[in-house]
Protein backbone atom coordinates (compact mmCIF):
# COMPACT_ATOMS: atom_id res chain seq x y z
CA UNK A 1 0.00 0.00 0.00
CA UNK A 2 1.27 3.48 -0.74
CA UNK A 3 1.36 6.09 2.00
CA UNK A 4 -1.51 7.87 0.27
CA UNK A 5 -3.78 4.84 0.33
CA UNK A 6 -3.15 4.32 4.01
CA UNK A 7 -5.00 6.13 6.75
CA UNK A 8 -2.80 8.49 8.69
CA UNK A 9 -2.45 8.21 12.45
CA UNK A 10 -0.79 10.69 14.76
CA UNK A 11 -0.13 10.51 18.45
CA UNK A 12 2.07 12.21 21.00
CA UNK A 13 3.66 11.43 24.33
CA UNK A 14 5.29 13.76 26.84
CA UNK A 15 8.91 13.18 27.79
CA UNK A 16 8.29 13.84 31.46
CA UNK A 17 10.29 11.06 33.09
CA UNK A 18 13.49 9.09 32.68
CA UNK A 19 11.52 5.99 31.94
CA UNK A 20 8.13 5.07 30.58
CA UNK A 21 6.23 2.72 32.86
CA UNK A 22 4.36 -0.45 32.12
CA UNK A 23 1.05 1.44 31.89
CA UNK A 24 2.42 3.78 29.21
CA UNK A 25 3.63 0.79 27.22
CA UNK A 26 0.57 -1.45 27.48
CA UNK A 27 -1.90 1.44 27.41
CA UNK A 28 -0.38 3.43 24.56
CA UNK A 29 2.98 2.64 22.96
CA UNK A 30 2.20 -1.01 22.22
CA UNK A 31 -0.78 0.13 20.14
CA UNK A 32 1.42 2.64 18.36
CA UNK A 33 3.72 -0.19 17.38
CA UNK A 34 0.78 -2.27 16.10
CA UNK A 35 -0.67 0.65 14.12
CA UNK A 36 2.56 1.18 12.19
CA UNK A 37 1.55 -1.69 9.93
CA UNK A 38 -1.12 -0.64 7.50
CA UNK A 39 -1.10 3.04 8.55
CA UNK A 40 0.95 6.08 7.73
CA UNK A 41 2.01 6.79 11.31
CA UNK A 42 3.40 9.98 12.83
CA UNK A 43 4.60 9.78 16.43
CA UNK A 44 5.66 12.90 18.22
CA UNK A 45 7.61 13.41 21.42
CA UNK A 46 5.76 16.46 22.67
CA UNK A 47 8.54 18.26 24.49
CA UNK A 48 6.83 21.67 24.23
CA UNK A 49 3.83 20.29 26.10
CA UNK A 50 6.17 19.04 28.81
CA UNK A 51 7.29 22.65 29.41
CA UNK A 52 3.94 23.30 31.09
CA UNK A 53 5.52 21.80 34.16
CA UNK A 54 8.73 23.32 35.44
CA UNK A 55 11.76 21.43 34.21
CA UNK A 56 15.46 21.42 34.82
CA UNK A 57 17.32 21.87 31.47
CA UNK A 58 19.63 18.89 32.01
CA UNK A 59 16.68 16.66 32.88
CA UNK A 60 14.66 18.01 30.00
CA UNK A 61 17.29 17.12 27.42
CA UNK A 62 17.99 13.72 28.95
CA UNK A 63 14.33 12.79 29.18
CA UNK A 64 13.60 13.82 25.61
CA UNK A 65 16.41 11.61 24.30
CA UNK A 66 15.52 8.79 26.69
CA UNK A 67 11.93 8.87 25.46
CA UNK A 68 13.08 8.61 21.85
CA UNK A 69 15.43 5.73 22.63
CA UNK A 70 12.69 3.86 24.48
CA UNK A 71 10.13 4.34 21.71
CA UNK A 72 12.61 2.93 19.20
CA UNK A 73 13.58 0.06 21.50
CA UNK A 74 9.90 -0.74 22.10
CA UNK A 75 9.40 -1.19 18.39
CA UNK A 76 8.65 2.14 16.73
CA UNK A 77 10.48 1.72 13.46
CA UNK A 78 11.90 4.77 11.67
CA UNK A 79 11.33 2.94 8.38
CA UNK A 80 7.64 2.43 9.03
CA UNK A 81 6.78 5.59 10.97
CA UNK A 82 7.78 9.19 11.27
CA UNK A 83 9.18 9.62 14.78
CA UNK A 84 10.13 13.16 15.71
CA UNK A 85 10.53 15.78 18.42
CA UNK A 86 7.78 18.40 18.39
CA UNK A 87 10.07 21.42 18.95
CA UNK A 88 12.13 20.50 15.87
CA UNK A 89 9.12 21.32 13.69
CA UNK A 90 8.33 25.00 14.40
CA UNK A 91 5.03 24.79 12.52
CA UNK A 92 3.54 23.36 15.74
CA UNK A 93 3.91 26.76 17.36
CA UNK A 94 2.71 28.56 14.25
CA UNK A 95 -0.51 26.58 13.95
CA UNK A 96 -0.87 26.53 17.75
CA UNK A 97 -1.33 30.30 17.70
CA UNK A 98 -3.99 30.09 14.98
CA UNK A 99 -5.81 27.49 17.09
CA UNK A 100 -5.66 29.80 20.12
CA UNK A 101 -7.27 32.52 18.04
CA UNK A 102 -10.15 30.18 17.19
CA UNK A 103 -10.81 28.91 20.70
CA UNK A 104 -13.25 30.57 23.05
CA UNK A 105 -12.10 31.40 26.55
CA UNK A 106 -15.07 29.53 28.01
CA UNK A 107 -14.41 26.54 25.80
CA UNK A 108 -10.80 26.31 26.98
CA UNK A 109 -11.89 26.77 30.60
CA UNK A 110 -14.06 23.66 30.35
CA UNK A 111 -11.17 21.31 29.57
CA UNK A 112 -11.09 18.86 32.46
CA UNK A 113 -7.34 18.22 32.25
CA UNK A 114 -6.73 21.96 32.62
CA UNK A 115 -9.15 22.15 35.55
CA UNK A 116 -7.51 19.17 37.28
CA UNK A 117 -3.94 20.28 36.72
CA UNK A 118 -4.49 23.94 37.54
CA UNK A 119 -6.42 23.16 40.69
CA UNK A 120 -3.54 20.99 41.84
CA UNK A 121 -0.99 23.78 41.56
CA UNK A 122 -3.47 26.50 42.59
CA UNK A 123 -4.97 28.62 39.82
CA UNK A 124 -2.72 31.62 40.56
CA UNK A 125 0.41 29.57 40.11
CA UNK A 126 -0.74 27.64 37.05
CA UNK A 127 0.95 28.83 33.86
CA UNK A 128 -0.92 30.08 30.81
CA UNK A 129 0.68 27.22 28.83
CA UNK A 130 -1.48 24.80 30.76
CA UNK A 131 -4.52 26.71 29.55
CA UNK A 132 -3.44 26.74 25.92
CA UNK A 133 -2.09 23.15 26.00
CA UNK A 134 -5.12 21.69 24.13
CA UNK A 135 -4.73 24.21 21.28
CA UNK A 136 -1.11 23.17 20.79
CA UNK A 137 -2.31 19.58 20.82
CA UNK A 138 -4.92 20.43 18.17
CA UNK A 139 -2.12 21.90 16.05
CA UNK A 140 -0.05 18.70 16.51
CA UNK A 141 -2.90 16.71 15.03
CA UNK A 142 -4.23 19.04 12.31
CA UNK A 143 -0.79 19.83 10.86
CA UNK A 144 -0.54 16.24 9.65
CA UNK A 145 -4.13 15.91 8.38
CA UNK A 146 -4.43 12.86 10.64
CA UNK A 147 -7.39 10.51 10.18
CA UNK A 148 -7.00 8.81 13.56
CA UNK A 149 -5.54 9.83 16.89
CA UNK A 150 -4.82 6.83 19.14
CA UNK A 151 -5.12 7.99 22.74
CA UNK A 152 -6.46 6.90 26.09
CA UNK A 153 -9.97 7.79 27.25
CA UNK A 154 -8.61 10.77 29.24
CA UNK A 155 -7.75 12.56 25.97
CA UNK A 156 -11.20 12.29 24.39
CA UNK A 157 -12.16 15.86 25.26
CA UNK A 158 -9.01 17.25 23.65
CA UNK A 159 -9.75 15.37 20.44
CA UNK A 160 -13.34 16.68 20.49
CA UNK A 161 -11.97 20.21 20.78
CA UNK A 162 -9.57 19.53 17.90
CA UNK A 163 -12.47 18.38 15.72
CA UNK A 164 -14.51 21.47 16.64
CA UNK A 165 -11.61 23.78 15.82
CA UNK A 166 -10.94 22.06 12.50
CA UNK A 167 -14.61 22.28 11.54
CA UNK A 168 -14.81 25.91 12.61
CA UNK A 169 -11.78 26.83 10.54
CA UNK A 170 -12.97 24.89 7.49
CA UNK A 171 -16.40 26.55 7.64
CA UNK A 172 -15.02 30.05 8.02
CA UNK A 173 -12.01 29.94 5.74
CA UNK A 174 -12.55 27.02 3.36
CA UNK A 175 -11.55 23.36 3.48
CA UNK A 176 -8.13 23.17 5.14
CA UNK A 177 -8.05 20.40 7.71
CA UNK A 178 -8.95 16.73 7.80
CA UNK A 179 -11.39 16.16 10.69
CA UNK A 180 -9.63 13.56 12.87
CA UNK A 181 -11.32 10.74 14.75
CA UNK A 182 -10.25 9.71 18.20
CA UNK A 183 -9.10 6.11 18.17
CA UNK A 184 -9.77 5.32 21.79
CA UNK A 185 -7.72 2.41 22.91
CA UNK A 186 -10.53 0.45 24.56
CA UNK A 187 -8.93 -2.93 24.26
CA UNK A 188 -5.68 -1.60 25.65
CA UNK A 189 -4.93 -2.85 29.09
CA UNK A 190 -5.34 -0.45 31.96
CA UNK A 191 -2.55 -1.22 34.36
CA UNK A 192 -2.88 -0.48 38.06
CA UNK A 193 -0.36 0.33 40.74
CA UNK A 194 1.30 -2.76 42.26
CA UNK A 195 0.93 -1.40 45.76
CA UNK A 196 -2.57 -0.05 45.33
CA UNK A 197 -4.38 -2.03 42.66
CA UNK A 198 -7.41 0.24 42.79
CA UNK A 199 -5.51 3.20 41.33
CA UNK A 200 -3.84 3.57 37.94
CA UNK A 201 -0.10 2.97 37.61
CA UNK A 202 1.20 6.50 37.21
CA UNK A 203 4.42 8.46 37.23
CA UNK A 204 2.87 10.81 39.77
CA UNK A 205 2.09 7.93 42.10
CA UNK A 206 3.16 8.56 45.69
CA UNK A 207 5.48 5.58 45.83
CA UNK A 208 7.78 4.14 43.15
CA UNK A 209 7.30 0.65 44.61
CA UNK A 210 4.06 0.22 42.67
CA UNK A 211 5.40 1.38 39.30
CA UNK A 212 7.30 -0.85 36.84
CA UNK A 213 9.70 1.33 34.89
CA UNK A 214 10.99 0.02 31.60
CA UNK A 215 14.47 1.43 32.23
CA UNK A 216 14.72 0.13 35.77
CA UNK A 217 16.99 -2.86 36.43
CA UNK A 218 15.56 -6.38 36.07
CA UNK A 219 16.36 -7.04 39.76
CA UNK A 220 14.45 -4.01 40.96
CA UNK A 221 11.43 -4.80 38.80
CA UNK A 222 11.39 -8.45 39.87
CA UNK A 223 11.45 -7.31 43.48
CA UNK A 224 8.58 -4.88 42.94
CA UNK A 225 6.40 -7.60 41.43
CA UNK A 226 7.23 -10.09 44.15
CA UNK A 227 6.22 -7.50 46.76
CA UNK A 228 3.01 -6.50 44.97
CA UNK A 229 0.05 -6.36 47.31
CA UNK A 230 -2.19 -9.32 46.74
CA UNK A 231 -5.60 -10.09 48.06
CA UNK A 232 -7.24 -12.33 50.60
CA UNK A 233 -7.60 -15.98 49.59
CA UNK A 234 -5.04 -18.00 47.69
CA UNK A 235 -6.66 -18.75 44.36
CA UNK A 236 -5.20 -17.19 41.20
CA UNK A 237 -8.44 -16.00 39.63
CA UNK A 238 -9.43 -12.90 37.65
CA UNK A 239 -11.93 -10.92 39.70
CA UNK A 240 -11.38 -7.17 39.63
CA UNK A 241 -13.75 -6.51 42.54
CA UNK A 242 -12.64 -9.18 45.00
CA UNK A 243 -9.06 -9.60 43.79
CA UNK A 244 -7.80 -6.35 42.22
CA UNK A 245 -4.14 -7.16 42.92
CA UNK A 246 -4.19 -10.63 41.37
CA UNK A 247 -6.34 -9.40 38.47
CA UNK A 248 -3.82 -6.66 37.72
CA UNK A 249 -0.97 -9.19 37.68
CA UNK A 250 -3.01 -11.49 35.44
CA UNK A 251 -3.60 -8.60 33.03
CA UNK A 252 0.12 -7.83 32.94
CA UNK A 253 1.13 -11.47 32.43
CA UNK A 254 -1.41 -11.99 29.69
CA UNK A 255 -0.56 -8.77 27.82
CA UNK A 256 3.15 -9.59 27.76
CA UNK A 257 3.10 -13.38 27.38
CA UNK A 258 0.24 -13.46 24.89
CA UNK A 259 -1.46 -16.24 26.88
CA UNK A 260 -5.13 -15.88 27.70
CA UNK A 261 -6.13 -15.09 31.27
CA UNK A 262 -7.98 -18.43 31.47
CA UNK A 263 -4.89 -20.35 30.41
CA UNK A 264 -2.81 -18.62 33.08
CA UNK A 265 -5.46 -19.27 35.74
CA UNK A 266 -5.40 -22.92 34.77
CA UNK A 267 -1.60 -23.12 35.02
CA UNK A 268 -1.75 -21.88 38.59
CA UNK A 269 -4.61 -24.05 39.80
CA UNK A 270 -3.65 -25.45 43.17
CA UNK A 271 -0.55 -23.25 43.38
CA UNK A 272 -0.14 -20.21 45.65
CA UNK A 273 0.32 -16.49 45.08
CA UNK A 274 4.10 -16.81 45.59
CA UNK A 275 4.58 -19.08 42.57
CA UNK A 276 2.32 -16.87 40.49
CA UNK A 277 4.16 -13.68 41.39
CA UNK A 278 7.51 -15.26 40.54
CA UNK A 279 6.14 -16.25 37.15
CA UNK A 280 4.83 -12.73 36.49
CA UNK A 281 8.20 -11.30 37.53
CA UNK A 282 9.94 -13.60 35.02
CA UNK A 283 7.58 -12.63 32.21
CA UNK A 284 8.06 -8.90 32.84
CA UNK A 285 11.81 -9.08 33.32
CA UNK A 286 12.45 -11.20 30.25
CA UNK A 287 10.15 -9.06 28.12
CA UNK A 288 11.90 -5.82 28.98
CA UNK A 289 15.49 -7.07 29.33
CA UNK A 290 16.35 -6.76 25.60
CA UNK A 291 14.30 -3.58 25.27
CA UNK A 292 16.18 -1.86 28.07
CA UNK A 293 19.50 -3.05 26.62
CA UNK A 294 18.55 -1.71 23.19
CA UNK A 295 17.47 1.65 24.64
CA UNK A 296 20.76 1.98 26.54
CA UNK A 297 22.65 1.12 23.36
CA UNK A 298 20.76 3.80 21.44
CA UNK A 299 21.55 6.34 24.14
CA UNK A 300 25.26 5.47 23.96
CA UNK A 301 25.41 6.63 20.36
CA UNK A 302 23.78 10.03 20.57
CA UNK A 303 24.85 11.11 17.07
CA UNK A 304 22.98 8.17 15.57
CA UNK A 305 19.91 8.78 17.72
CA UNK A 306 19.85 12.45 16.75
CA UNK A 307 20.22 11.55 13.11
CA UNK A 308 17.14 9.27 13.30
CA UNK A 309 15.19 12.09 14.97
CA UNK A 310 16.38 14.70 12.48
CA UNK A 311 15.27 12.48 9.60
CA UNK A 312 11.87 12.16 11.28
CA UNK A 313 11.68 15.94 11.76
CA UNK A 314 12.50 16.47 8.07
CA UNK A 315 9.67 14.19 7.02
CA UNK A 316 7.28 15.82 9.50
CA UNK A 317 8.36 19.28 8.37
CA UNK A 318 7.53 18.52 4.74
CA UNK A 319 3.92 17.80 5.67
CA UNK A 320 3.54 20.45 8.37
CA UNK A 321 4.91 23.30 6.25
CA UNK A 322 2.35 22.55 3.52
CA UNK A 323 -0.48 22.72 6.03
CA UNK A 324 0.72 26.02 7.46
CA UNK A 325 1.16 27.49 3.98
CA UNK A 326 -2.43 26.52 3.09
CA UNK A 327 -3.74 27.81 6.42
CA UNK A 328 -2.00 31.16 5.99
CA UNK A 329 -3.19 31.44 2.40
CA UNK A 330 -6.79 30.76 3.44
CA UNK A 331 -6.51 33.33 6.23
CA UNK A 332 -5.26 35.99 3.81
CA UNK A 333 -1.84 36.24 5.41
CA UNK A 334 0.46 38.18 3.04
CA UNK A 335 3.19 36.03 1.59
P1 LIG B 1 0.92 9.95 30.86
O1 LIG B 1 2.08 9.25 31.47
O2 LIG B 1 -0.24 10.09 31.79
O3 LIG B 1 1.28 11.19 30.11
O4 LIG B 1 0.36 8.94 29.76
C1 LIG B 1 0.97 8.65 28.53
C2 LIG B 1 0.13 7.60 27.83
O5 LIG B 1 0.12 6.37 28.58
C3 LIG B 1 -1.34 8.00 27.67
O6 LIG B 1 -1.77 7.59 26.39
C4 LIG B 1 -2.08 7.21 28.75
O7 LIG B 1 -3.39 6.90 28.36
C5 LIG B 1 -1.20 5.95 28.90
N1 LIG B 1 -1.20 5.47 30.31
C6 LIG B 1 -0.67 6.11 31.38
N2 LIG B 1 -0.82 5.37 32.51
C7 LIG B 1 -1.49 4.24 32.16
C8 LIG B 1 -1.95 3.08 32.88
N3 LIG B 1 -1.73 2.93 34.19
N4 LIG B 1 -2.58 2.11 32.18
C9 LIG B 1 -2.78 2.24 30.85
N5 LIG B 1 -2.38 3.30 30.12
C10 LIG B 1 -1.74 4.30 30.75
N1 LIG C 1 -2.01 15.41 25.76
C1 LIG C 1 -1.51 14.08 25.42
C2 LIG C 1 -1.36 13.26 26.74
O1 LIG C 1 -1.27 13.84 27.79
C3 LIG C 1 -0.19 14.16 24.71
C4 LIG C 1 -0.33 14.78 23.34
C5 LIG C 1 0.15 15.98 22.91
C6 LIG C 1 -0.98 14.19 22.22
N2 LIG C 1 -0.13 16.18 21.61
C7 LIG C 1 -0.82 15.10 21.15
C8 LIG C 1 -1.66 12.99 22.04
C9 LIG C 1 -1.39 14.86 19.89
C10 LIG C 1 -2.21 12.74 20.77
C11 LIG C 1 -2.07 13.66 19.72
O2 LIG C 1 -1.30 12.03 26.68
Amino acid sequence: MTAKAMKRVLSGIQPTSDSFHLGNYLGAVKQWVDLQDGHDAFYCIVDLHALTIETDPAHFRKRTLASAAQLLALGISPEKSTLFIQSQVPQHNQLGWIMECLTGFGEASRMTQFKDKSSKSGSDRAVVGLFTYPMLQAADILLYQADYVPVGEDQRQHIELTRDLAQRFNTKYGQTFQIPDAYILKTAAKINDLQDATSKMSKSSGSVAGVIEIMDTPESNAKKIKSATTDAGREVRFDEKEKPGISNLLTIHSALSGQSIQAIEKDFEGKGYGDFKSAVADVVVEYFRPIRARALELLEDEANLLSILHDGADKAHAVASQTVAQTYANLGVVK
Side-chain angles (χ1 to χ4, degrees):
M1 248 190 306
T2 60
K4 253 211 147 50
M6 291 195 277
K7 292 285 185 193
R8 183 167 288 169
V9 302
L10 176 132
S11 197
I13 196 155
Q14 295 193 58
T16 38
S17 53
D18 293 335
S19 176
F20 292 131
H21 59 68
L22 190 57
N24 298 140
Y25 176 58
L26 292 177
V29 179
K30 189 163 185 282
Q31 282 63 39
W32 292 14
V33 174
D34 294 342
L35 284 167
Q36 294 181 111
D37 294 313
H39 295 88
D40 181 19
F42 282 69
Y43 296 127
C44 183
I45 298 165
V46 289
D47 57 342
L48 298 172
H49 279 109
L51 289 174
T52 54
I53 47 176
E54 200 175 325
T55 47
D56 169 288
H59 275 155
F60 190 67
R61 180 171 206 285
K62 186 164 159 252
R63 289 174 175 173
T64 305
L65 292 174
S67 300
Q70 288 170 77
L71 290 173
L72 291 165
L74 288 166
I76 302 295
S77 146
E79 279 84 46
K80 293 184 190 168
S81 319
T82 303
L83 174 68
F84 64 104
I85 300 178
Q86 183 187 34
S87 60
Q88 292 186 352
V89 183
Q91 281 74 14
H92 289 253
N93 303 80
Q94 290 183 301
L95 192 63
W97 175 253
I98 308 293
M99 292 299 131
E100 287 174 33
C101 293
L102 279 179
T103 309
F105 214 87
E107 201 173 27
S109 309
R110 284 193 292 277
M111 294 293 118
T112 52
Q113 188 173 305
F114 165 70
K115 289 197 280 187
D116 288 351
K117 291 196 177 171
S118 60
S119 68
K120 270 189 198 141
S121 59
S123 52
D124 284 346
R125 290 191 49 217
V127 296
V128 175
L130 213 48
F131 190 61
T132 58
Y133 178 116
M135 292 124 251
L136 181 60
Q137 180 168 352
D140 297 341
I141 298 165
L142 300 179
L143 274 178
Y144 300 96
Q145 310 287 355
D147 297 291
Y148 299 118
V149 187
V151 282
E153 181 62 41
D154 62 327
Q155 293 297 310
R156 190 189 284 280
Q157 199 187 26
H158 288 169
I159 312 305
E160 278 305 315
L161 175 71
T162 303
R163 290 168 56 86
D164 289 346
L165 295 176
Q167 252 143 8
R168 197 171 299 164
F169 191 98
N170 287 350
T171 306
K172 259 188 168 161
Y173 303 105
Q175 179 59 38
T176 312
F177 301 115
Q178 167 72 31
I179 312 296
D181 279 312
Y183 182 100
I184 303 285
L185 305 164
K186 281 206 197 67
T187 51
K190 180 172 161 254
I191 305 302
N192 290 327
D193 191 284
L194 297 179
Q195 290 296 320
D196 170 13
T198 56
S199 70
K200 189 170 111 143
M201 185 177 286
S202 157
K203 62 189 164 217
S204 50
S205 145
S207 131
V208 290
V211 181
I212 296 292
E213 296 197 330
I214 289 165
M215 296 305 284
D216 205 351
T217 61
E219 297 73 36
S220 161
N221 278 337
K223 196 165 153 221
K224 285 181 185 176
I225 292 171
K226 288 180 188 162
S227 1
T229 337
T230 37
D231 319 291
R234 51 192 313 272
E235 214 188 332
V236 176
R237 182 169 49 83
F238 191 89
D239 180 340
E240 278 185 304
K241 264 221 171 85
E242 298 295 324
K243 292 172 172 273
I246 290 296
S247 303
N248 190 37
L249 292 176
L250 277 165
T251 303
I252 294 172
H253 186 315
S254 167
L256 297 179
S257 69
Q259 292 179 43
S260 70
I261 301 238
Q262 292 93 313
I264 306 167
E265 285 173 342
K266 208 152 183 296
D267 277 352
F268 288 92
E269 250 170 39
K271 297 186 192 152
Y273 286 169
D275 287 345
F276 174 58
K277 289 206 271 186
S278 292
V280 178
D282 285 346
V283 167
V284 171
V285 163
E286 293 318 320
Y287 193 92
F288 289 110
R289 191 191 297 280
I291 289 168
R292 173 171 183 261
R294 177 74 188 124
L296 291 172
E297 190 179 273
L298 282 157
L299 286 168
E300 286 275 298
D301 188 354
E302 198 175 294
N304 173 56
L305 182 59
L306 286 173
S307 136
I308 295 172
L309 293 166
H310 290 156
D311 284 351
D314 286 346
K315 285 201 272 170
H317 180 261
V319 179
S321 58
Q322 265 190 24
T323 304
V324 166
Q326 187 63 51
T327 307
Y328 274 13
N330 291 1
L331 280 167
V333 171
V334 173
K335 201 167 145 186

